[in-house]
Amino acid sequence: MNPGNTVHHQLLAAAERGDDAGVRAALAAGADVGARDAELRTPLLLAALGDHVQAARTLVAAGADPNAQDRRHDSAWLVTGVTGSVAMMRVLLPGGPDVRLRNRFGGVSVIPASERGHVAYVRAVLAETDIEVDHVNDLGWTALLEAVILGDGGPAHQEVVRLLLAAGADRGLADKDGVTPLTHAERRGFTELAELLRSAR
């Protein structure tokens, strides 16, 4: 095996393990911070997937790209919306993430975070970036629609809806069938969510 490939592999493996010392050693040995595995995942993406914050911090400081996407169109930045890791989100910000970057469903990071009820992440990403609160994905859904349609209507999703509305989310934006978030909430029997959506100004 080419020695260069070996050190790149060591970097990828260390990032995936969250081994910050290993990441530093591989970088010092000349590993490419933008190396990719067979799925086109970079060390930073692997660190983000495992929520290995210190390893990610080292990689960002070394110039890693938070926007580099793999075969599934995941990037380190987009993954934070799935994991809900506020710490990882903040570590990536100095790397200049593109908050408009789209995942394989055409969504930005706040959409999967809203679907999953990641309250702290939704609060932070809305407050600390200029992410588009009303971005519409390929399914025709906004973060608000996903929180209602794919959420469980419980306290976490209620708080997500509050945060989205406070950030200016348009409660009148309907899905591709013309169904609004309020109508979805009523159909699913989510009385608290429906009340929030009715009272939104």
Side-chain angles (χ1 to χ4, degrees), residues 7 10-11 20-32 58 62:
V7 75
Q10 288 169 352
L11 176 58
D20 185 52
V23 166
R24 291 174 183 274
L27 289 171
D32 179 1
T58 296

Side-chain angles (χ1 to χ4, degrees), residues 65-125:
D65 181 5
N67 302 314
Q69 291 178 281
D70 67 2
R71 293 190 192 279
R72 288 162 48 93
H73 294 148
D74 283 334
S75 72
W77 174 258
L78 287 169
V79 161
T80 63
V82 177
T83 65
S85 174
V86 175
M88 183 63 70
M89 183 204 88
R90 289 177 174 152
V91 161
L92 296 178
L93 285 175
D98 180 1
V99 299
R100 299 163 303 174
L101 197 65
R102 300 177 178 211
N103 61 24
R104 63 188 177 280
F105 304 110
V108 295
S109 71
V110 73
I111 294 182
S114 297
E115 171 201 333
R116 288 165 172 76
H118 291 321
V119 174
Y121 182 91
V122 171
R123 180 182 293 114
V125 81

Side-chain angles (χ1 to χ4, degrees), residues 7-195:
V7 75
H8 299 330
H9 175 74
Q10 288 169 352
L11 176 58
L12 289 160
E16 188 169 24
R17 291 194 310 270
D19 176 4
D20 185 52
V23 166
R24 291 174 183 274
L27 289 171
D32 179 1
V33 73
R36 293 180 182 252
D37 67 8
E39 297 302 315
L40 301 183
R41 297 175 299 184
T42 63
L44 185 57
L45 174 52
L46 291 168
L49 284 165
D51 198 27
H52 301 308
V53 174
Q54 186 53 51
R57 184 176 287 113
T58 296
L59 290 162
V60 169
D65 181 5
N67 302 314
Q69 291 178 281
D70 67 2
R71 293 190 192 279
R72 288 162 48 93
H73 294 148
D74 283 334
S75 72
W77 174 258
L78 287 169
V79 161
T80 63
V82 177
T83 65
S85 174
V86 175
M88 183 63 70
M89 183 204 88
R90 289 177 174 152
V91 161
L92 296 178
L93 285 175
D98 180 1
V99 299
R100 299 163 303 174
L101 197 65
R102 300 177 178 211
N103 61 24
R104 63 188 177 280
F105 304 110
V108 295
S109 71
V110 73
I111 294 182
S114 297
E115 171 201 333
R116 288 165 172 76
H118 291 321
V119 174
Y121 182 91
V122 171
R123 180 182 293 114
V125 81
L126 290 172
E128 298 172 34
T129 76
D130 62 352
I131 201 160
E132 183 186 354
V133 70
D134 282 330
H135 176 86
V136 179
N137 68 13
D138 294 343
L139 299 171
W141 293 348
T142 60
L144 189 57
L145 279 162
E146 288 227 357
V148 176
I149 295 169
L150 299 177
D152 62 10
H157 287 99
Q158 291 168 35
E159 185 60 23
V160 164
V161 166
R162 285 190 195 95
L163 290 166
L164 293 169
L165 292 170
D170 183 351
R171 65 192 173 117
L173 274 178
D175 64 18
K176 288 180 176 179
D177 297 318
V179 182
T180 65
L182 174 57
T183 300
H184 276 291
E186 289 172 339
R187 287 178 179 175
R188 299 197 65 196
F190 293 161
T191 54
E192 296 90 347
L193 281 185
E195 183 55 37

